Amino acid sequence: MATRKNSTDDPLAPVTLAVGQEDLLLDRAVQQVVAAARAADADTDVRDLASDQVQPGTLAELTSPSLFAERKVVIVRNAQDLSADSVKDVKAYLGAPVEEITLVLLHAGGAKGKGLLDAARKSGAREVACPKTTKPAERLSFVRSEFRTHGRSATPEACQALVDSIGSDLRELASAVSQLIADVEGTIDEAVVGRYYTGRAEASSFTVADRAVEGRAAEALEALRWSLSTGVPPVLITSALAQGVRAIGKLSSARGGRPADLARELGMPPWKIDRVRQQMRGWTPDGVAVALRAVAAADAGVKGGGDDPEYALEKAVVVVARAARAGR
């Protein structure tokens, strides 16, 4: 999520520097400044420029004093791509910003255009970090923050289910949160997310697997029936079941250690290590073996080796859930 990196929290600071490559967060940094400017002056003039629109002299022209002393917001996108002469203009402006004008520089970060980045930071620009979210844990943190920002509560399971269902696109995640808070009163839980989003094949197949390996047979069967009724291919469900049971087998036989170390050893993301650790309570080595055989039989059944694929899946779910509780 976007985080401010210096002490000022004033969106009307003379210069705002938004650094990163996450488009949603960059757009929000701009929107915050524009909203604050228009709250102070409804007639604020907003100029939103791509880097190739900023030629030598452009910034001086846009920031020249006005006879009407109007408030203005000047946005420069992809500032790392500015020409050398335009960079000189921006650096000169940073040393003597104009009152009633807010300059917003969007910079990707990194080595390209680093001189401008350093100059803006040295000038005391308000900085907003907009890093690309590459890890599931970061997307989960984003979803939690979205609910908090809207003053709504969602259970940890609901937040995780939303990330599992929607994927990595922050715009889609933000849109999903907005839809849920608009449509649902009270605390948003996993069941609510399921009603809205488990129509997605991958998400619903993994919901079946998660409930089964947690020993929650009734919920797993309910998720299975929902998945099949919404057209999820049975082979995706057996695949998810196999992945869930294998993950428990791998982790139970691995040496103890930090999630990051185990993730490298087992080829899983750290967030999954934490989840599988919670799911593996009650599992025994014999239970893993029994469950894998049941899933293999179901897989053969859904691929033409049996007369009733749905029954084969139900039987596998029940066996897996029973195995999950064998050691409790």
Side-chain angles (χ1 to χ4, degrees), residues 185-220:
E185 296 182 357
T187 299
I188 294 166
D189 59 19
E190 189 175 11
V192 170
V193 175
R195 287 201 301 271
Y196 275 76
Y197 297 106
T198 52
R200 299 183 180 223
E202 184 179 3
S204 55
S205 63
F206 280 105
T207 299
V208 175
D210 284 341
R211 299 298 85 81
V213 300
E214 291 163 2
R216 296 154 66 179
E219 294 174 46

Side-chain angles (χ1 to χ4, degrees), residues 69-260:
E70 65 181 356
R71 181 175 291 278
K72 186 178 293 185
V73 176
V74 178
I75 303 151
V76 178
R77 297 182 183 271
N78 297 312
Q80 73 279 357
D81 296 330
L82 289 173
S83 68
D85 288 337
S86 294
V87 167
K88 289 179 182 178
D89 287 351
V90 176
K91 287 182 176 179
Y93 180 82
L94 293 173
V98 179
E99 191 175 353
E100 299 298 316
I101 292 180
T102 300
L103 175 64
V104 184
L105 299 174
L106 276 57
H107 195 293
K112 189 175 183 181
K114 189 172 184 299
L116 177 58
L117 190 62
D118 292 342
R121 285 170 170 163
K122 188 175 181 180
S123 75
R126 167 181 175 263
E127 184 171 346
V128 182
C130 305
K132 196 76 175 175
T133 55
T134 58
K135 300 177 181 178
E138 294 171 344
R139 294 189 282 274
L140 182 59
S141 178
F142 172 80
V143 168
R144 289 171 174 164
S145 176
E146 287 291 287
F147 282 115
R148 285 196 301 270
T149 298
H150 290 287
R152 294 294 300 275
S153 60
T155 66
E157 294 79 11
C159 293
Q160 184 65 65
L162 197 59
V163 172
D164 291 344
S165 299
I166 301 299
S168 60
D169 191 304
L170 289 199
R171 290 188 189 278
E172 288 194 24
L173 285 169
S175 176
V177 170
S178 296
Q179 180 181 11
L180 288 170
I181 64 176
D183 292 355
V184 180
E185 296 182 357
T187 299
I188 294 166
D189 59 19
E190 189 175 11
V192 170
V193 175
R195 287 201 301 271
Y196 275 76
Y197 297 106
T198 52
R200 299 183 180 223
E202 184 179 3
S204 55
S205 63
F206 280 105
T207 299
V208 175
D210 284 341
R211 299 298 85 81
V213 300
E214 291 163 2
R216 296 154 66 179
E219 294 174 46
L221 288 170
E222 181 181 355
L224 172 64
R225 292 174 189 125
W226 171 261
S227 298
L228 293 173
S229 70
T230 56
V232 177
V235 68
L236 285 184
I237 299 173
T238 56
S239 175
L241 284 167
Q243 289 183 47
V245 176
R246 288 193 193 108
I248 286 169
K250 282 183 180 180
L251 191 56
S252 62
S253 61
R255 300 185 301 275
R258 297 179 306 165

Side-chain angles (χ1 to χ4, degrees), residues 1 10 169 254:
M1 72 201 80
D10 181 10
D169 191 304

